[in-house]
Amino acid sequence: MVVCICNAIRERDVRAAARSGAISACQAYRALGHQPKCGQCVPFARSIIDSERATA
């Protein structure tokens, strides 16, 4: 599933960044070489990161 249309970031990418230590959407995006643009995706990315951290 696409999380960020502006940067073409997929859910699996955000999950991988979270598993690598990203604790916020901005950190995850930086780890992937991007930054949030319009911001519509940040709440969804945050929920994915929270989900990964809860299962870790």
Side-chain angles (χ1 to χ4, degrees):
M1 170 182 287
V2 175
V3 174
C4 176
I5 294 170
C6 298
N7 290 306
I9 296 174
R10 296 187 171 276
E11 181 177 352
R12 67 175 176 246
D13 301 326
V14 175
R15 288 190 184 281
R19 286 190 297 269
S20 295
I23 59 171
S24 70
C26 288
Q27 285 181 351
Y29 285 26
R30 276 195 299 270
L32 297 167
H34 299 286
Q35 65 181 5
K37 295 186 190 258
C38 73
Q40 292 291 318
C41 56
V42 171
F44 184 40
R46 189 179 304 132
S47 70
I48 293 168
I49 292 166
D50 290 345
S51 166
E52 281 297 315
R53 292 183 71 209
T55 60

